[in-house]
Amino acid sequence: QKEVEQDPGPLSVPEGAIVSLNCTYSNSAFQYFMWYRQYSRKGPELLMYTYSSGNKEDGRFTAQVDKSSKYISLFIRDSQPSDSATYLCAMSVASGTYKYIFGTGTRLKVLA
Amino acid sequence: NAGVMQNPRHLVRRRGQEARLRCSPMKGHSHVYWYRQLPEEGLKFMVYLQKENIIDESGMPKERFSAEFPKEGPSILRIQQVVRGDSAAYFCASSPSMGDTQYFGPGTRLTVL
């Protein structure tokens, strides 16, 4: 069993839809959770990070962590074609560590 | 305000040749991390270096792979006697200190024929 599981997609939605992207994990020691966006043939760029449980909002993006269920989510409101990319979740056991464990990524297509 | 630079962006090698991948961290960053991304797999940590030191190479294969980050110049990931299974995208990330957010470069796509 992988430490971090993520549905590879692709996930296709119409422009303006609310998108929900999810990851589950097995290591209860994970405390620091991140979402990266990766456009085709580019490097991952950090979108959001959260520490421990709860929600964090940044513009159209909301990151949610449910440690009791070992489940994290990224919501994108009013999705745009420019949001079409692969979204990678990543986690580590603490915010000061460097070993990130990545999910395989979910490919998202937002249709105009 | 240049980000992390990697070159070459694409590298083609025949089996048995050597591959050298270069990474220049962001300005002010002295910590470098190398990751490998295989199709349908997530990014896998390979090695973490500071200037002139290898801090953690636990994710790097023991044979044929080596990494360095000299006092001057870019970090280099070296793969000797490449095999087809080495074909992947190799990403470098950098941070100002250990544990800080890692910023990724555009990657080098290695194809082994």
Side-chain angles (χ1 to χ4, degrees), chain B residues 42-60:
Chain B
L43 288 157
K44 302 287 188 200
F45 168 82
M46 296 181 73
V47 61
Y48 163 36
L49 309 104
Q50 292 181 37
K51 284 283 187 181
E52 300 184 276
N53 287 305
I54 296 175
I55 307 301
D56 182 346
E57 56 183 348
S58 60
M60 199 158 65

Side-chain angles (χ1 to χ4, degrees), chain A:
Chain A
Q1 183 191 6
K2 292 181 181 177
E3 275 191 288
V4 179
E5 299 273 4
Q6 189 174 8
D7 189 329
L11 176 64
S12 294
V13 300
E15 184 176 357
I18 296 175
V19 176
S20 172
L21 302 164
N22 311 295
C23 287
T24 58
Y25 61 94
S26 57
N27 187 350
S28 57
F30 286 141
Q31 300 259 9
Y32 190 59
F33 304 92
M34 295 152 279
W35 286 96
Y36 281 82
R37 178 175 62 195
Q38 186 176 18
Y39 290 113
S40 181
R41 302 293 183 182
K42 303 287 186 186
E45 57 173 319
L46 181 66
L47 268 180
M48 297 185 71
Y49 63 87
T50 55
Y51 188 64
S52 197
S53 286
N55 290 2
K56 184 173 181 179
E57 192 173 317
D58 184 0
R60 296 185 295 111
F61 298 89
T62 300
Q64 198 171 76
V65 175
D66 182 349
K67 289 194 73 183
S68 61
S69 303
K70 299 193 184 75
Y71 189 88
I72 67 170
S73 301
L74 178 71
F75 297 97
I76 308 174
R77 288 185 299 280
D78 188 24
S79 55
Q80 304 294 311
S82 59
D83 294 328
S84 298
T86 296
Y87 290 80
L88 303 162
C89 63
M91 20 197 110
S92 67
V93 296
S95 63
T97 60
Y98 57 85
K99 268 193 180 171
Y100 294 174
I101 308 299
F102 281 85
T104 52
T106 299
R107 279 176 49 210
L108 171 66
K109 293 182 182 179
V110 181
L111 306 171

